[in-house]
Structure formats: C-alpha cells, structure tokens
Amino acid sequence: MRGVFFSLFALLALTACVVVPVPIAGGTASGPAAPLAAVPTSGFGAMLNKARADNGLGPLAPNARLAAAAQVHAQDMVQRSYFSHQSPNGATPATRVRAQGYCYRFLAENIGSGQPNEARIVAAWMGSPDHRVNMLDGRAREYGLGRVDDMWVLLLAEAC
C-alpha cells in the first residue's frame, strides 16, 4: 500500500512547499514512537550551496535543530503513510521547528518523495518553481535536512 500511495504522490512532491514568514503562538509536535533509520545525506549541503552560489547567494549553514525537525517529519510521513506539510495530528513546519527549540524569523519547507539520492532531490527541487524559490530565498541563513528511505524534508530558516 505504501508503494502505491507514494507512487501516486511522486509528482505532487515537486509542487509541495510552504513558506511561514513569522512565528505563531501555540502548538506542539509529537514525533512517532519508533524511530526509523535515517539515510546519510552528507553531500546535500554542498549541492544546495552550489545552487545558491550559482544564483549569486551566500551559503547556508547546517543547523542540528532544523535537521531534527525535518527528520521527525520525514519519519512520521513514512510511518503513517502520508505526504503533506501538515501531519495528521495538525503539526506544521512551525510547530515542529519550535518543538526542537528553534526560534525563527523566516521559515520555509520543501518535501519530496521518490528521489533516490541527494543529486536527484536537489535537481527535482531546483526544477520546481516553488521549491526553487524556497531554496534561493535570500532570507534563509540555515538549513536542516531529514530523510527516511526516499522521503525528504528540507527546512530553510533564519533564526531569531
């Protein structure tokens, strides 16, 4: 069932993005009970920053809190078989980031499914106008990437 579900939404993955410009009060995000193994993503930062440099922008620094929030969401989507910026319990990128103790002025999230490696997800997101806007937003200063299997979550932010 999971394979069919994600196959149907693979194309939607390229159009799913959200920008949250200001923090909002309230809400918490609760992660899934049993952790899944994360897939290494060591080359992603270099590819992201090359794309930014190619477009006249400065590099983004990795942030462990953003990565933790992204990983929680990727894991939750895989475990509960859904694909959305909002979890079934109502958690949003803002609530997930705040749950990790990250205060932000700017926040954007890209999600994707079906790409087998860093190069393919960067290419897919850069080829999608809305995802590209997020990755090339000059307000972003940091990023966090989460990945479980072929489920990807990228958070881009500027801290308070």
Side-chain angles (χ1 to χ4, degrees), residues 9-109:
F9 288 97
L11 292 176
L12 294 176
L14 296 177
T15 60
C17 63
V18 66
V19 175
V20 183
V22 294
I24 54 175
T28 60
S30 59
L36 296 173
V39 178
T41 55
S42 59
F44 181 84
M47 287 182 255
L48 171 62
N49 285 329
K50 181 180 181 327
R52 289 178 60 84
D54 290 349
N55 286 277
L57 296 166
L60 301 180
N63 180 281
R65 290 176 189 221
L66 292 174
Q71 187 66 28
V72 164
H73 191 46
Q75 181 175 316
D76 190 46
M77 286 193 290
V78 169
Q79 283 187 323
R80 295 205 275 175
S81 297
Y82 72 96
F83 186 77
S84 176
H85 292 285
Q86 183 170 338
S87 71
N89 68 345
T92 64
T95 56
R96 288 186 291 275
V97 166
R98 283 195 309 268
Q100 295 297 325
Y102 188 91
C103 176
Y104 63 89
R105 290 189 183 115
F106 166 78
L107 177 64
E109 178 180 76

XYZ file of all heavy atoms in Angstrom, residues 9-109:
720
model
N 1.698 9.995 -5.379
C 2.026 11.350 -4.939
C 3.415 11.802 -5.344
O 3.834 12.905 -4.991
C 1.853 11.461 -3.421
C 0.416 11.448 -3.023
C -0.194 10.279 -2.613
C -0.334 12.606 -3.106
C -1.525 10.262 -2.278
C -1.672 12.594 -2.760
C -2.272 11.409 -2.353
N 4.158 11.014 -6.098
C 5.510 11.389 -6.502
C 5.515 12.704 -7.274
O 6.358 13.557 -7.042
C 6.150 10.278 -7.326
N 4.565 12.876 -8.171
C 4.509 14.126 -8.915
C 4.086 15.294 -8.037
O 4.546 16.414 -8.215
C 3.568 14.004 -10.113
C 4.052 13.070 -11.215
C 2.997 12.966 -12.302
C 5.360 13.554 -11.782
N 3.222 15.029 -7.083
C 2.816 16.086 -6.168
C 3.970 16.553 -5.307
O 3.991 17.680 -4.846
C 1.661 15.614 -5.285
C 0.355 15.325 -6.013
C -0.676 14.780 -5.032
C -0.154 16.561 -6.707
N 4.953 15.711 -5.100
C 6.100 16.059 -4.272
C 6.817 17.279 -4.815
O 7.372 18.069 -4.063
C 7.069 14.882 -4.192
N 6.792 17.442 -6.103
C 7.502 18.559 -6.703
C 6.752 19.878 -6.575
O 7.318 20.929 -6.826
C 7.802 18.258 -8.168
C 8.745 17.079 -8.377
C 8.925 16.824 -9.857
C 10.069 17.324 -7.700
N 5.505 19.841 -6.161
C 4.756 21.082 -6.033
C 4.406 21.398 -4.589
O 3.711 22.364 -4.323
C 3.452 21.026 -6.859
O 2.658 19.953 -6.381
C 3.750 20.875 -8.335
N 4.900 20.617 -3.656
C 4.551 20.821 -2.247
C 5.607 21.665 -1.566
O 6.739 21.258 -1.441
C 4.411 19.470 -1.544
N 5.253 22.855 -1.160
C 6.165 23.692 -0.396
C 5.339 24.687 0.397
O 4.193 24.946 0.095
C 7.166 24.402 -1.280
S 6.398 25.541 -2.417
N 5.946 25.215 1.430
C 5.258 26.174 2.268
C 6.262 27.182 2.785
O 7.404 26.853 3.050
C 4.519 25.485 3.441
C 5.479 24.847 4.411
C 3.617 26.452 4.175
N 5.858 28.423 2.876
C 6.670 29.470 3.477
C 5.892 30.010 4.658
O 4.719 30.339 4.545
C 6.966 30.608 2.475
C 7.706 31.733 3.142
C 7.742 30.069 1.296
N 6.538 30.065 5.808
C 5.930 30.582 7.022
C 6.769 31.771 7.457
O 7.817 31.608 8.073
C 5.897 29.511 8.140
C 5.187 30.042 9.365
C 5.224 28.247 7.645
N 6.376 33.017 7.146
C 7.247 34.153 7.365
C 7.400 34.600 8.817
O 8.406 35.188 9.148
C 6.620 35.259 6.523
C 5.211 34.850 6.338
C 5.178 33.356 6.413
N 6.423 34.354 9.669
C 6.538 34.795 11.059
C 6.083 33.690 11.985
O 5.196 32.910 11.653
C 5.694 36.063 11.342
C 6.217 37.256 10.592
C 4.237 35.838 10.994
N 6.703 33.597 13.187
C 6.268 32.564 14.113
C 4.865 32.825 14.625
O 4.438 33.970 14.731
C 7.291 32.641 15.249
C 8.133 33.828 15.002
C 7.825 34.364 13.649
N 4.147 31.739 14.940
C 2.827 31.859 15.525
C 2.839 31.151 16.869
O 3.618 30.228 17.090
C 1.748 31.257 14.608
C 2.096 29.815 14.228
C 1.548 32.107 13.379
C 1.040 29.119 13.423
N 1.999 31.580 17.758
C 1.993 31.027 19.107
C 1.238 29.724 19.161
O 0.343 29.461 18.358
C 1.359 32.032 20.068
N 1.601 28.907 20.148
C 0.858 27.687 20.441
C 1.267 26.505 19.611
O 2.007 26.619 18.662
N 0.783 25.343 20.019
C 1.005 24.130 19.258
C 2.277 23.408 19.638
O 3.253 24.014 20.026
N 2.237 22.101 19.537
C 3.408 21.265 19.734
C 3.388 20.173 18.693
O 2.351 19.866 18.115
C 3.422 20.605 21.141
O 2.256 19.800 21.269
C 3.484 21.636 22.245
N 4.533 19.614 18.449
C 4.621 18.500 17.511
C 5.090 17.278 18.278
O 6.041 17.345 19.026
C 5.615 18.828 16.394
N 4.391 16.206 18.103
C 4.837 14.975 18.736
C 5.310 14.026 17.660
O 4.606 13.780 16.693
C 3.723 14.349 19.561
O 2.622 14.071 18.744
N 6.508 13.505 17.813
C 7.084 12.611 16.831
C 6.558 11.197 17.000
O 5.931 10.869 17.997
N 6.821 10.352 16.026
C 6.400 8.969 16.095
C 7.160 8.204 17.184
O 8.238 8.588 17.579
C 6.717 8.427 14.706
C 7.559 9.424 14.035
C 7.443 10.707 14.783
N 6.589 7.111 17.630
C 7.146 6.373 18.755
C 8.409 5.598 18.399
O 9.366 5.616 19.147
C 6.089 5.413 19.302
N 8.429 4.896 17.297
C 9.568 4.052 16.960
C 10.397 4.690 15.856
O 9.915 4.875 14.743
C 9.075 2.681 16.505
N 11.658 5.053 16.139
C 12.470 5.730 15.120
C 12.860 4.799 13.973
O 13.119 3.621 14.176
C 13.699 6.187 15.898
C 13.762 5.328 17.106
C 12.356 4.910 17.401
N 12.891 5.352 12.774
C 13.378 4.649 11.600
C 14.815 5.083 11.366
O 15.228 6.154 11.800
C 12.540 5.008 10.367
C 11.071 4.607 10.404
C 10.350 5.172 9.200
C 10.934 3.103 10.449
N 15.561 4.306 10.646
C 16.945 4.662 10.361
C 16.995 5.791 9.334
O 16.361 5.725 8.286
C 17.695 3.448 9.832
N 17.757 6.826 9.660
C 17.965 7.928 8.730
C 18.956 7.482 7.659
O 19.826 6.661 7.907
C 18.507 9.144 9.466
N 18.830 8.053 6.473
C 19.748 7.774 5.382
C 20.772 8.898 5.346
O 20.408 10.071 5.417
C 18.978 7.689 4.042
C 19.918 7.451 2.890
C 17.916 6.599 4.116
N 22.067 8.587 5.256
C 23.074 9.649 5.225
C 22.836 10.630 4.077
O 22.438 10.236 2.985
C 24.388 8.888 5.014
C 24.102 7.497 5.442
C 22.640 7.264 5.187
N 23.079 11.907 4.347
C 22.869 12.958 3.348
C 24.061 13.917 3.335
O 23.893 15.126 3.262
C 21.573 13.731 3.654
O 21.647 14.209 5.004
C 20.341 12.870 3.485
N 25.260 13.387 3.377
C 26.461 14.198 3.554
C 26.748 15.166 2.411
O 27.349 16.201 2.623
C 27.667 13.300 3.779
O 27.836 12.437 2.667
N 26.345 14.867 1.191
C 26.658 15.734 0.065
C 25.636 16.820 -0.199
O 25.842 17.687 -1.049
N 24.523 16.806 0.509
C 23.430 17.715 0.213
C 23.824 19.180 0.389
O 23.527 20.022 -0.460
C 22.214 17.401 1.078
C 21.052 18.287 0.788
C 20.192 17.997 -0.248
C 20.828 19.439 1.527
C 19.129 18.827 -0.549
C 19.772 20.275 1.238
C 18.915 19.969 0.197
N 24.466 19.508 1.495
C 24.820 20.904 1.787
C 25.663 21.526 0.691
O 25.440 22.676 0.298
N 26.623 20.779 0.185
C 27.477 21.301 -0.888
C 26.662 21.570 -2.146
O 26.860 22.596 -2.817
C 28.611 20.318 -1.177
N 25.732 20.673 -2.461
C 24.897 20.866 -3.657
C 23.950 22.052 -3.485
O 23.760 22.847 -4.406
C 24.123 19.595 -3.970
C 24.993 18.504 -4.545
S 24.024 17.045 -4.960
C 24.509 15.991 -3.606
N 23.347 22.160 -2.301
C 22.455 23.287 -2.018
C 23.219 24.603 -2.130
O 22.765 25.546 -2.783
C 21.851 23.136 -0.618
C 21.058 24.321 -0.078
C 19.839 24.614 -0.943
C 20.645 24.051 1.370
N 24.387 24.663 -1.518
C 25.154 25.907 -1.530
C 25.735 26.230 -2.899
O 25.880 27.395 -3.247
C 26.216 25.884 -0.434
C 25.596 26.101 0.925
O 24.582 26.793 1.057
N 26.165 25.488 1.946
N 26.027 25.213 -3.714
C 26.452 25.478 -5.088
C 25.311 26.102 -5.882
O 25.515 27.068 -6.629
C 26.938 24.214 -5.776
C 27.410 24.494 -7.213
C 27.885 23.275 -7.928
C 28.381 23.542 -9.324
N 27.767 24.601 -10.091
N 24.103 25.571 -5.723
C 22.943 26.139 -6.412
C 22.737 27.588 -5.987
O 22.435 28.451 -6.825
C 21.693 25.311 -6.123
N 22.912 27.865 -4.703
C 22.768 29.240 -4.222
C 23.875 30.125 -4.794
O 23.609 31.240 -5.257
C 22.750 29.268 -2.708
C 21.453 28.683 -2.133
C 21.443 28.662 -0.624
N 21.585 29.983 -0.034
C 20.586 30.849 0.174
N 19.349 30.530 -0.165
N 20.824 32.034 0.728
N 25.114 29.648 -4.782
C 26.237 30.436 -5.319
C 26.041 30.706 -6.806
O 26.320 31.821 -7.280
C 27.553 29.707 -5.080
N 25.560 29.724 -7.541
C 25.299 29.892 -8.976
C 24.250 30.970 -9.229
O 24.133 31.470 -10.350
C 24.823 28.579 -9.603
C 25.924 27.527 -9.698
O 27.109 27.859 -9.469
O 25.581 26.355 -9.984
N 23.481 31.303 -8.209
C 22.436 32.328 -8.321
C 22.763 33.572 -7.509
O 21.873 34.351 -7.164
C 21.093 31.724 -7.898
C 20.564 30.785 -8.959
O 19.947 31.214 -9.922
N 20.838 29.492 -8.808
N 24.046 33.756 -7.183
C 24.510 34.969 -6.521
C 24.182 35.069 -5.037
O 24.195 36.162 -4.479
N 23.906 33.943 -4.391
C 23.538 33.950 -2.972
C 24.622 33.308 -2.125
O 25.362 32.443 -2.588
C 22.225 33.187 -2.768
C 21.010 33.796 -3.453
C 19.873 32.801 -3.473
C 20.601 35.084 -2.759
N 24.661 33.718 -0.865
C 25.607 33.148 0.078
C 25.194 31.760 0.528
O 24.050 31.340 0.339
N 26.126 31.052 1.153
C 25.847 29.683 1.604
C 24.958 29.652 2.838
O 24.881 30.616 3.594
C 27.240 29.136 1.936
C 28.019 30.348 2.324
C 27.499 31.459 1.444
N 24.315 28.512 3.025
C 23.532 28.253 4.228
C 24.326 27.323 5.129
O 25.004 26.408 4.654
C 22.200 27.592 3.871
C 21.280 28.372 2.941
C 20.002 27.582 2.697
C 20.981 29.737 3.508
N 24.213 27.537 6.418
C 24.880 26.680 7.398
C 23.925 25.589 7.847
O 22.732 25.845 8.028
C 25.319 27.513 8.605
N 24.434 24.386 8.056
C 23.564 23.335 8.597
C 23.202 23.658 10.042
O 24.005 24.243 10.769
C 24.413 22.068 8.507
C 25.815 22.547 8.438
C 25.784 23.910 7.813
N 21.998 23.291 10.442
C 21.544 23.526 11.810
C 20.938 22.228 12.340
O 20.019 21.672 11.733
C 20.521 24.657 11.853
C 20.043 24.920 13.254
O 19.193 24.196 13.770
N 20.583 25.955 13.869
N 21.449 21.775 13.481
C 21.018 20.494 14.050
C 19.547 20.503 14.461
O 18.859 19.484 14.339
C 21.892 20.127 15.239
N 19.041 21.625 14.954
C 17.629 21.677 15.366
C 16.697 21.612 14.160
O 15.663 20.944 14.202
C 17.363 22.917 16.191
C 18.016 22.835 17.548
C 17.830 24.102 18.340
N 18.653 24.030 19.530
C 18.266 24.439 20.721
N 17.084 24.963 20.890
N 19.079 24.334 21.748
N 17.072 22.301 13.099
C 16.273 22.216 11.877
C 16.331 20.801 11.305
O 15.314 20.263 10.854
C 16.761 23.220 10.836
C 16.537 24.695 11.152
C 17.214 25.571 10.099
C 15.057 25.017 11.256
N 17.511 20.185 11.340
C 17.648 18.814 10.848
C 16.799 17.848 11.673
O 16.165 16.945 11.122
C 19.115 18.389 10.855
N 16.770 18.054 12.986
C 15.958 17.182 13.847
C 14.479 17.329 13.520
O 13.750 16.332 13.423
C 16.217 17.498 15.314
N 14.010 18.559 13.319
C 12.606 18.786 12.974
C 12.278 18.167 11.614
O 11.223 17.558 11.431
C 12.290 20.278 12.979
N 13.193 18.294 10.654
C 12.990 17.706 9.325
C 12.956 16.184 9.404
O 12.124 15.532 8.770
C 14.089 18.176 8.376
N 13.850 15.628 10.211
C 13.909 14.177 10.340
C 12.638 13.623 10.987
O 12.118 12.595 10.560
C 15.147 13.763 11.143
C 15.381 12.274 11.177
C 15.712 11.700 9.813
O 16.266 12.379 8.955
N 15.383 10.447 9.605
N 12.146 14.302 12.011
C 10.908 13.888 12.667
C 9.772 13.834 11.642
O 8.989 12.882 11.612
C 10.547 14.832 13.836
C 9.097 14.672 14.274
C 11.485 14.598 15.012
N 9.707 14.843 10.785
C 8.611 14.879 9.804
C 8.767 13.790 8.738
O 7.790 13.125 8.378
C 8.520 16.263 9.175
C 7.284 16.461 8.359
N 6.024 16.086 8.784
C 7.108 16.987 7.124
C 5.128 16.377 7.857
N 5.768 16.915 6.836
N 9.987 13.600 8.236
C 10.209 12.544 7.239
C 9.839 11.181 7.823
O 9.153 10.377 7.180
C 11.669 12.552 6.777
N 10.260 10.939 9.029
C 9.967 9.670 9.695
C 8.465 9.487 9.897
O 7.920 8.414 9.642
C 10.696 9.638 11.035
C 10.488 8.372 11.814
C 11.347 8.364 13.064
O 12.509 8.729 13.022
N 10.768 7.957 14.169
N 7.806 10.545 10.324
C 6.364 10.476 10.563
C 5.607 10.190 9.264
O 4.689 9.364 9.242
C 5.899 11.788 11.195
C 4.474 11.713 11.708
O 4.132 10.712 12.380
O 3.710 12.658 11.462
N 6.001 10.856 8.177
C 5.308 10.621 6.900
C 5.473 9.179 6.436
O 4.524 8.584 5.925
C 5.802 11.603 5.829
C 5.282 13.008 6.021
S 5.559 14.071 4.576
C 7.335 14.282 4.622
N 6.660 8.621 6.617
C 6.878 7.230 6.215
C 6.088 6.290 7.114
O 5.389 5.395 6.629
C 8.382 6.887 6.233
C 8.602 5.388 6.089
C 9.114 7.636 5.127
N 6.169 6.488 8.415
C 5.498 5.572 9.341
C 3.980 5.616 9.218
O 3.321 4.591 9.361
C 5.899 5.874 10.783
C 7.271 5.357 11.114
C 7.617 5.494 12.571
O 7.261 6.479 13.217
N 8.310 4.514 13.092
N 3.429 6.797 8.961
C 1.969 6.916 8.918
C 1.428 7.010 7.491
O 0.236 7.269 7.294
C 1.517 8.107 9.756
C 1.851 7.887 11.242
C 0.964 8.658 12.139
N 1.431 10.031 12.336
C 0.755 10.942 13.023
N -0.407 10.644 13.562
N 1.235 12.149 13.169
N 2.278 6.816 6.509
C 1.875 6.763 5.094
C 1.053 7.962 4.646
O -0.071 7.829 4.164
C 1.101 5.466 4.813
O 1.916 4.348 5.036
N 1.634 9.143 4.782
C 1.007 10.346 4.241
C 2.092 11.224 3.639
O 3.283 10.980 3.812
C 0.209 11.103 5.315
C 1.046 11.817 6.359
C 1.355 13.172 6.224
C 1.513 11.150 7.480
C 2.116 13.829 7.177
C 2.269 11.801 8.438
C 2.567 13.144 8.281
O 3.330 13.804 9.218
N 1.688 12.242 2.892
C 2.622 13.166 2.259
C 2.007 14.558 2.323
O 1.118 14.893 1.541
C 2.879 12.752 0.810
C 3.934 13.573 0.134
C 5.271 13.357 0.394
C 3.575 14.571 -0.754
C 6.247 14.117 -0.222
C 4.540 15.341 -1.382
C 5.886 15.111 -1.113
N 2.448 15.350 3.282
C 1.869 16.672 3.483
C 2.765 17.488 4.401
O 3.509 16.936 5.209
C 0.485 16.533 4.130
O -0.064 17.796 4.420
N 2.639 18.796 4.309
C 3.349 19.672 5.247
C 2.705 19.632 6.627
O 3.352 19.940 7.619
C 3.365 21.110 4.723
C 4.198 21.263 3.494
N 5.569 21.276 3.514
C 3.844 21.377 2.194
C 6.036 21.410 2.286
N 5.002 21.465 1.471
N 1.453 19.270 6.679
C 0.753 19.179 7.961
C 0.522 17.711 8.292
O -0.014 16.958 7.480
C -0.585 19.912 7.905
C -1.300 19.908 9.247
C -2.497 20.846 9.253
O -2.584 21.769 8.462
N -3.415 20.601 10.161
N 0.915 17.325 9.502
C 0.744 15.933 9.917
C -0.715 15.661 10.267
O -1.495 16.595 10.487
C 1.634 15.632 11.123
O 1.133 16.291 12.270
N -1.102 14.408 10.332
C -2.484 14.082 10.691
C -2.908 14.647 12.055
O -4.084 14.913 12.266
C -2.499 12.550 10.710
C -1.437 12.163 9.743
C -0.365 13.199 9.927
N -1.952 14.856 12.953
C -2.299 15.433 14.259
C -2.239 16.957 14.248
O -2.375 17.583 15.295
C -1.414 14.856 15.369
C 0.030 15.278 15.259
O 0.476 15.772 14.222
N 0.789 15.075 16.318
N -2.026 17.564 13.083
C -2.064 19.015 12.959
C -0.724 19.720 13.061
O -0.663 20.941 12.923
N 0.366 19.000 13.279
C 1.684 19.636 13.368
C 2.062 20.238 12.015
O 1.839 19.637 10.964
C 2.732 18.635 13.827
N 2.639 21.422 12.051
C 3.072 22.147 10.860
C 4.590 22.333 10.926
O 5.201 22.044 11.961
C 2.405 23.530 10.805
O 2.876 24.291 11.930
C 0.875 23.425 10.826
N 5.194 22.847 9.858
C 6.629 23.137 9.953
C 6.943 24.034 11.155
O 7.912 23.792 11.877
C 6.931 23.850 8.631
C 5.917 23.315 7.683
C 4.675 23.116 8.504
N 6.103 25.022 11.392
C 6.337 25.937 12.519
C 6.299 25.206 13.856
O 7.176 25.421 14.704
C 5.292 27.054 12.497
N 5.321 24.343 14.057
C 5.240 23.651 15.348
C 6.370 22.647 15.509
O 6.898 22.488 16.611
C 3.873 22.959 15.550
O 3.615 22.068 14.470
C 2.753 23.972 15.653
N 6.778 21.990 14.430
C 7.881 21.033 14.519
C 9.200 21.730 14.837
O 10.000 21.238 15.635
C 8.003 20.227 13.226
C 6.892 19.209 13.045
C 7.124 18.328 11.839
N 6.990 19.022 10.570
C 5.837 19.217 9.940
N 4.704 18.783 10.463
N 5.815 19.838 8.779
N 9.431 22.875 14.208
C 10.670 23.630 14.449
C 10.695 24.177 15.878
O 11.705 24.072 16.571
C 10.811 24.750 13.393
C 11.855 25.766 13.778
C 11.144 24.130 12.037
N 9.580 24.733 16.308
C 9.518 25.243 17.692
C 9.693 24.127 18.711
O 10.307 24.315 19.755
C 8.216 25.994 17.930
C 8.233 27.394 17.321
C 7.106 28.263 17.861
N 5.809 27.622 17.781
C 4.958 27.739 16.767
N 5.268 28.480 15.737
N 3.792 27.139 16.788
N 9.161 22.935 18.410
C 9.308 21.793 19.324
C 10.780 21.412 19.501
O 11.145 20.842 20.523
C 8.512 20.596 18.816
N 11.612 21.746 18.538
C 13.051 21.478 18.639
C 13.803 22.641 19.281
O 15.029 22.622 19.361
C 13.637 21.183 17.247
C 13.105 19.924 16.616
C 13.451 18.680 17.415
O 14.518 18.575 18.009
N 12.532 17.731 17.437
N 13.067 23.682 19.711
C 13.707 24.818 20.371
C 14.314 25.839 19.434
O 15.187 26.605 19.832
N 13.851 25.876 18.198
C 14.390 26.819 17.212
C 13.425 27.991 17.057
O 12.260 27.798 16.721
C 14.581 26.114 15.862
C 15.311 26.936 14.829
C 16.690 26.857 14.699
C 14.621 27.778 13.960
C 17.368 27.592 13.742
C 15.287 28.513 12.994
C 16.664 28.418 12.894
O 17.327 29.152 11.941
N 13.917 29.185 17.294
C 13.153 30.419 17.089
C 13.526 30.978 15.720
O 14.709 31.072 15.398
C 13.500 31.418 18.197
S 12.716 33.028 17.986
N 12.542 31.337 14.916
C 12.839 31.786 13.557
C 12.143 33.093 13.212
O 11.107 33.431 13.753
C 12.448 30.702 12.540
C 10.969 30.412 12.533
C 10.105 31.115 11.712
C 10.434 29.444 13.385
C 8.751 30.865 11.723
C 9.076 29.182 13.387
C 8.250 29.891 12.566
O 6.903 29.649 12.581
N 12.760 33.791 12.260
C 12.160 34.977 11.630
C 11.587 34.606 10.271
O 10.642 35.215 9.797
C 13.224 36.051 11.438
C 13.691 36.676 12.695
C 14.589 37.878 12.385
N 15.070 38.414 13.630
C 16.330 38.420 14.011
N 17.261 37.965 13.193
N 16.688 38.918 15.167
N 12.228 33.648 9.638
C 11.818 33.150 8.320
C 11.897 31.627 8.356
O 12.837 31.069 8.926
C 12.742 33.691 7.228
C 12.599 32.965 5.918
C 11.531 33.225 5.080
C 13.517 31.993 5.538
C 11.376 32.534 3.887
C 13.375 31.300 4.343
C 12.306 31.578 3.508
N 10.913 30.972 7.737
C 10.894 29.509 7.683
C 10.225 29.062 6.399
O 9.163 29.581 6.032
C 10.131 28.948 8.888
C 9.958 27.425 8.961
C 11.306 26.736 9.109
C 9.042 27.066 10.123
N 10.837 28.127 5.708
C 10.251 27.513 4.514
C 10.539 26.021 4.569
O 11.548 25.594 5.136
C 10.837 28.125 3.244
N 9.653 25.238 3.983
C 9.824 23.785 3.958
C 9.575 23.240 2.563
O 8.609 23.626 1.908
C 8.848 23.122 4.936
C 8.934 21.609 4.944
C 7.966 20.972 5.924
O 6.751 20.915 5.602
O 8.413 20.556 7.017
